[in-house]
Amino acid sequence: GAVVSQHPSRVICKSGTSVKIECRSLDFQATTMFWYRQFPKQSLMLMATSNEGSKATYEQGVEKDKFLINHASLTLSTLTVTSAHPEDSSFYICSAPGTSGWNEQFFGPGTRLTVL
Amino acid sequence: DQQVKQNSPSLSVQEGRISILNCDYTNSMFDYFLWYKKYPAEGPTFLISISSIKDKNEDGRFTVFLNKSAKHLSLHIVPSQPGDSAVYFCAASANFGNEKLTFGTGTRLTIIP
């Protein structure tokens, strides 16, 4: 199956700093990627849809100026958490749709962000 | 508004027996449903899916059943194995293709040896 990687897997930062998370599709191209966050013992919540060559689409309640998304190429999307605060601490996961035409999204391993 | 619900946060099943995980949805526009398995600190792994034109899909030990009138789907795992212990999420989407997924809250399955 398709492989999606994320980097870093874990990051700890001070409050007020910015953190960049990379999501790559390793063996296929993805014009669309999705960013989710998961709080402990909760579901995965879609934050935004990353579109190659155009602006990301954000879900209701997600601040686009705080969570900057850049879909730089057909294999790379980045999520930057700007001016991070402790409440941004979460597990961030990206996904990319497969090429079968069905919604078999392939997920990255996730990034654990801890803001001190 | 939780459009996809998994009402059992946890389930314990004896090894070798059948595990049945349930999922309910409210949005009648959903027409494609998926089950994912997730280990701690890892991304979800796709297990099996079903489209609304079917009521059953089987893949090895995994079978998904869809009852459209009841807006209910279930995942059956038989026989259950210790490696099946994980959190299982059901997810739904509207329109086939590269559409965003709405996830349920997950069920933690523990297989007892």
Side-chain angles (χ1 to χ4, degrees), chain A residues 5-78:
Chain A
S5 70
Q6 270 185 252
H7 177 81
S9 59
R10 183 183 295 266
V11 58
I12 301 173
C13 69
K14 292 183 178 180
S15 185
T17 60
S18 294
V19 174
K20 179 185 284 189
I21 303 170
E22 293 186 348
C23 177
R24 293 181 186 273
S25 56
L26 296 186
D27 51 0
F28 66 105
Q29 295 182 334
T31 56
T32 301
M33 289 184 177
F34 301 95
W35 286 96
Y36 296 82
R37 65 188 296 181
Q38 184 188 24
F39 291 107
K41 298 184 179 180
Q42 294 189 23
S43 183
L44 284 80
M45 299 299 295
L46 179 66
M47 299 174 64
T49 303
S50 173
N51 303 298
E52 192 270 338
S54 64
K55 292 182 179 180
T57 306
Y58 290 82
E59 295 301 301
Q60 190 174 9
V62 178
E63 299 176 58
K64 62 179 181 179
D65 294 330
K66 180 168 186 60
F67 298 100
L68 299 179
I69 290 173
N70 181 29
H71 203 129
S73 73
L74 289 172
T75 59
L76 173 63
S77 174
T78 60

Side-chain angles (χ1 to χ4, degrees), chain B residues 71-88:
Chain B
K71 293 190 175 66
H72 177 83
L73 64 153
S74 60
L75 173 68
H76 292 209
I77 306 173
V78 56
S80 300
Q81 300 173 354
D84 296 328
S85 295
V87 177
Y88 289 78

Side-chain angles (χ1 to χ4, degrees), chain B residues 13-71:
Chain B
V13 175
Q14 204 78 32
E15 181 179 359
R17 299 288 185 101
I18 183 171
S19 296
I20 300 176
L21 296 96
N22 294 302
C23 179
D24 297 291
Y25 62 96
T26 58
N27 189 341
S28 58
M29 297 300 292
F30 288 147
D31 56 12
Y32 193 68
F33 305 90
L34 309 90
W35 283 94
Y36 283 87
K37 177 180 180 179
K38 185 180 183 300
Y39 293 115
E42 293 184 11
T45 302
F46 170 76
L47 271 178
I48 192 169
S49 63
I50 189 168
S51 72
S52 59
I53 60 175
K54 291 186 173 182
D55 54 18
K56 176 183 176 182
N57 188 28
E58 190 173 353
D59 184 3
R61 296 186 298 117
F62 303 93
T63 302
V64 56
F65 295 91
L66 175 62
N67 183 334
K68 288 188 292 294
S69 60
K71 293 190 175 66

Side-chain angles (χ1 to χ4, degrees), chain A residues 34 36 38 42-44 46 59 91 93 97-98 101-105 107-109, chain B residues 32 34 36 38 41-44 89 93 95-101 103-105:
Chain A
F34 301 95
Y36 296 82
Q38 184 188 24
Q42 294 189 23
S43 183
L44 284 80
L46 179 66
E59 295 301 301
F91 193 57
I93 310 174
W102 300 94
N103 280 337
E104 294 178 14
Q105 289 187 30
F107 285 81
Chain B
Y32 193 68
L34 309 90
Y36 283 87
K38 185 180 183 300
E42 293 184 11
F89 290 97
S93 72
N95 303 319
F96 296 136
N98 298 337
E99 193 59 54
K100 62 185 181 183
L101 297 177
F103 280 84
T105 48

